[in-house]
Amino acid sequence: MQDTFSSDADLVSYLTTGDEHAFQEIYDRYWHKLYRLAMSKVGCQENAKEVVQDVFLDLWVRHKEVHIEHLDRYLFSAVKYGALKSIRKEIVRRQYQESFIETVSELSADTENTLAFEELSRAITQGIEQLPEKGREIFRLNRIQHMSAREISELLKIPERTVEYHIAHALGLMRGYLKDYIISLLIVCFTASLL
Amino acid sequence: MQTNRKGFLKLLDRYLKNKVNDNEKQAIDIWYGTIQREPEEGAPVLTENEVKTQMWMDLKSRMHNDMQEDLNVPGPRWWQSRYYQLAAACALLLLSFVFYRSYVHRDTLISGMPDLEITDMIQGSNTTSLAKNIQLSDGSQITLDPGAVLFYPKEFDREKRVVYLKGNGFFNITKDPQRPFLVYTDNIMTKVLGTSFRIVNDNAQGLVEVSVATGKVFVEKLADDDAEKSATGNGGVLLTPNKKVIYYTDSEKYVVSLVEKPQIIEKENEYRKPETFIFRGAPLSQVLAKLEKAYGVEISVNNEKVEDCVITADLSQDDLYGKLEIICAAINAKFELKDDRINLTGEGCKANK
């Protein structure tokens, strides 16, 4: 039975009829990629498992109503949503642990929100400015214009692998520029993994 | 970031609720793209194959549960059917019963928890006037104070171990990193992987107190929404040994402090030898560092001069506070407890080197 599923699109159409085999095939095909991705975002096995499991469970529960054009993209953005939710929990916990020391902020909620966005936005812009020229261009096309590596390779007439290299390299540099926004959030796995 | 974590959280919230504008969305997307975390050290390590199997097993069991709920979702205009009117009447009856039980017979239930989850469990109560021991299926030992009641299942779930406590008890939990142990009491939930701790419910004063003997313990209040009873997002505190938290029911505040009699932390066995706390001309900084390590507490000093004071004393017989009193007497200083930290204030000592 499973061997007859060839493409993701086939799998999705079987899934909408409630076919468990199709679901299992999707799981077999994607669990590892999604788990690796989740691990790299939440950094903790327990949380990564939870994120991925929720993605699949949600897919199953809503199999009748979901409209999926590209299964891979759908799943990756579902992981993104789950990972951000998990990171959000981490920040909340961390904030709670520190709230005994912290003084109450006098800023209004809206102002804080705007400031946070401006701060992040500034860090991103500064980060992009600091990228090497080629990397900067490719990073902009990829992350701001949302062009795929292949599209960029066609546009700039350079090999796709080179584009991929530049994206990875630029991401690495940006990671350095944005590091305050990433792992100052981190707390021990134990607390974050609580359900 | 430090100062604006709250704002960042709001931004993230709005992103998750799909309420951000394009610029904000882009910023978060870029930020997300750069996250690349290394796996935590010391986290429970399953092989990828184990992860695959575990996730699939869990999914399988949950898939069918959720399907059942799915099937119960009625079609259009369901409320016009006689069956549903009848069912609604029953539900109302049941609801008012639960309501009645929770408000009139409040003391048979855990505030903030649905009744049904608890009544299926074994009820272990201590009607004697002495402490009573209960052993659970995972080997955990629970000592109930007189009058306390513990609700626990015959066998625990595969994912987590859940019990409910009325009254006071001391918990010595068998270590099982794969299955956290959760204790629900009035208004709060205490979560551990394997440790020992004590819970005191003081209804008269409207507080719950959790104090830690060994290991790490996480405490959080129960959400108002039962469905999210242990979901995160309503905060909580992480406690280490010798710390306790008091949760005030009315103000919904946690206050962290030290337990009354801090003990030397279990894993710091080297500090149990009596000679550890016999000092001959040791600088105070060294003495305090030893105390911090042995008891897992933080001790701060108001001025650096104090740290240069020299201590010659046998502190091996005293508990933490006794030790501190002797030190303070020797160098003419004072100590006080501020939250879960100890502050030492003094003038410092004249250089007597």
Side-chain angles (χ1 to χ4, degrees), chain B residues 15 26 44 48 56 65 98-99 106 126 184 206 219 238 243 245 256 265 292 299 311-313 316 322 329 331-332:
Chain B
Y15 181 95
Q26 189 159 69
E48 291 199 329
W56 181 249
N65 286 341
V98 169
F99 205 76
R106 234 190 132 93
N126 184 3
Y184 287 94
V219 180
L238 177 69
K243 305 277 171 76
V245 63
V256 178
I265 296 174
E292 286 187 317
I299 305 174
I311 305 289
T312 299
S316 56
I331 62 170
N332 196 20

Side-chain angles (χ1 to χ4, degrees), chain A residues 20 23-24 27-28 31-32 35-37 39-46 49 52-54 56-57 60-61 63-64 76 79-81 83-85 87-98 100 102 105 109 112-113 115-117 119-121 124 128 139 143-144 146 171 174-175 178 180-191 193-195, chain B residues 1-2 4-17 21 23-40 43-49 51-56 58-60 62-64 66-67 70 159-160 177-178 182 191-193 216-218 220 230-238 252 254-256 339 341:
Chain A
E20 270 188 51
F23 181 70
Q24 187 166 3
Y27 180 79
D28 285 342
W31 83 271
H32 192 244
Y35 174 68
R36 280 287 171 90
L37 176 65
M39 269 306 272
S40 76
K41 299 300 178 186
V42 301
C44 159
Q45 189 168 53
E46 195 65 21
K49 252 177 74 187
V52 176
Q53 209 168 310
D54 285 351
F56 280 110
L57 191 65
W60 176 253
V61 171
H63 67 259
K64 279 185 222 138
F76 289 137
V79 167
K80 178 190 202 169
Y81 184 81
L84 286 174
K85 251 171 66 176
I87 290 172
R88 182 191 168 276
K89 282 185 204 169
E90 253 182 286
I91 307 176
V92 170
R93 280 187 191 289
R94 166 106 172 203
Q95 189 175 336
Y96 225 99
Q97 287 176 10
E98 286 170 6
F100 306 106
E102 245 171 58
S105 164
E112 273 180 345
N113 184 21
L115 282 178
F117 164 66
E119 202 182 329
L120 176 60
S121 192
I124 289 173
I128 293 179
F139 188 84
R143 297 286 146 163
I144 299 180
H146 300 291
L171 272 177
M174 287 296 285
R175 190 170 302 139
L178 295 182
D180 283 354
Y181 281 91
I182 300 172
I183 305 310
S184 65
L185 318 169
L186 212 156
I187 51 172
V188 282
C189 194
F190 172 77
T191 51
S193 71
L194 301 170
L195 215 113
Chain B
M1 190 60 205
Q2 203 63 291
N4 213 351
R5 187 175 288 141
K6 241 167 143 185
F8 188 76
L9 207 56
K10 293 249 162 57
L11 187 60
L12 204 53
D13 262 346
R14 294 185 34 230
Y15 181 95
L16 289 169
K17 287 178 188 148
N21 64 34
N23 290 336
E24 289 169 330
K25 183 174 184 315
Q26 189 159 69
I28 295 282
D29 283 340
I30 291 177
W31 172 70
Y32 174 81
T34 62
I35 302 177
Q36 173 82 56
R37 288 162 70 168
E38 296 300 320
E40 293 255 350
V45 185
L46 298 177
T47 64
E48 291 199 329
N49 254 331
V51 170
K52 182 186 180 187
T53 327
Q54 266 193 18
M55 280 200 303
W56 181 249
D58 280 2
L59 272 172
K60 276 215 95 136
R62 285 165 70 190
M63 266 161 76
H64 293 282
D66 288 2
M67 278 308 277
D70 220 27
E159 280 174 14
K160 53 187 179 189
Q178 305 303 330
L182 281 66
K191 177 153 181 166
V192 302
L193 297 177
K216 283 180 188 163
V217 170
F218 186 81
E220 76 178 9
S230 59
T232 49
N234 51 333
V237 287
L238 177 69
E252 305 192 343
Y254 305 92
V255 175
V256 178
D339 297 336
R341 283 167 297 169

Side-chain angles (χ1 to χ4, degrees), chain B residues 7-225:
Chain B
F8 188 76
L9 207 56
K10 293 249 162 57
L11 187 60
L12 204 53
D13 262 346
R14 294 185 34 230
Y15 181 95
L16 289 169
K17 287 178 188 148
N18 210 1
K19 284 184 183 159
V20 279
N21 64 34
D22 288 350
N23 290 336
E24 289 169 330
K25 183 174 184 315
Q26 189 159 69
I28 295 282
D29 283 340
I30 291 177
W31 172 70
Y32 174 81
T34 62
I35 302 177
Q36 173 82 56
R37 288 162 70 168
E38 296 300 320
E40 293 255 350
E41 276 176 43
V45 185
L46 298 177
T47 64
E48 291 199 329
N49 254 331
E50 283 167 335
V51 170
K52 182 186 180 187
T53 327
Q54 266 193 18
M55 280 200 303
W56 181 249
M57 302 290 275
D58 280 2
L59 272 172
K60 276 215 95 136
S61 64
R62 285 165 70 190
M63 266 161 76
H64 293 282
N65 286 341
D66 288 2
M67 278 308 277
Q68 236 124 53
E69 282 163 29
D70 220 27
L71 291 176
N72 288 337
V73 175
R77 297 212 264 172
W78 50 273
W79 58 87
Q80 292 177 345
S81 141
R82 280 231 159 263
Y83 288 106
Y84 283 107
Q85 283 170 359
L86 201 68
C90 288
L92 251 173
L93 248 167
L94 190 72
L95 247 171
S96 45
F97 177 69
V98 169
F99 205 76
Y100 170 80
R101 293 251 308 189
S102 48
Y103 284 87
V104 181
H105 291 285
R106 234 190 132 93
D107 49 18
T108 59
L109 289 161
I110 309 291
S111 316
M113 285 304 301
D115 201 13
L116 294 170
E117 286 192 30
I118 303 169
T119 44
D120 280 351
M121 296 185 146
I122 301 171
Q123 179 176 344
S125 41
N126 184 3
T127 48
T128 70
S129 55
L130 300 168
K132 179 183 172 183
N133 260 318
I134 293 183
Q135 173 145 2
L136 305 183
S137 61
D138 65 337
S140 296
Q141 296 271 357
I142 285 120
T143 310
L144 294 179
D145 282 9
V149 185
L150 183 78
F151 298 89
Y152 59 98
K154 208 158 154 199
E155 289 292 333
F156 287 110
D157 285 359
R158 222 156 27 81
E159 280 174 14
K160 53 187 179 189
R161 300 171 281 172
V162 180
V163 302
Y164 301 87
L165 172 74
K166 281 311 266 189
N168 310 338
F170 182 82
F171 292 76
N172 197 346
I173 302 306
T174 307
K175 203 162 186 145
D176 187 350
Q178 305 303 330
R179 280 198 304 178
F181 194 100
L182 281 66
V183 185
Y184 287 94
T185 44
D186 282 339
N187 304 306
I188 65 163
M189 186 266 279
T190 306
K191 177 153 181 166
V192 302
L193 297 177
T195 76
S196 52
F197 57 97
R198 180 172 166 79
I199 297 181
V200 172
N201 278 292
D202 190 335
N203 289 334
Q205 292 196 54
L207 58 85
V208 187
E209 182 180 301
V210 179
S211 42
V212 180
T214 61
K216 283 180 188 163
V217 170
F218 186 81
V219 180
E220 76 178 9
K221 78 171 205 217
L222 295 178
D224 296 332
D225 181 358

Side-chain angles (χ1 to χ4, degrees), chain B residues 331-344:
Chain B
I331 62 170
N332 196 20
K334 275 190 287 201
F335 76 91
E336 57 176 3
L337 202 57
K338 187 92 177 36
D339 297 336
D340 57 344
R341 283 167 297 169
I342 294 165
N343 287 338
L344 213 140

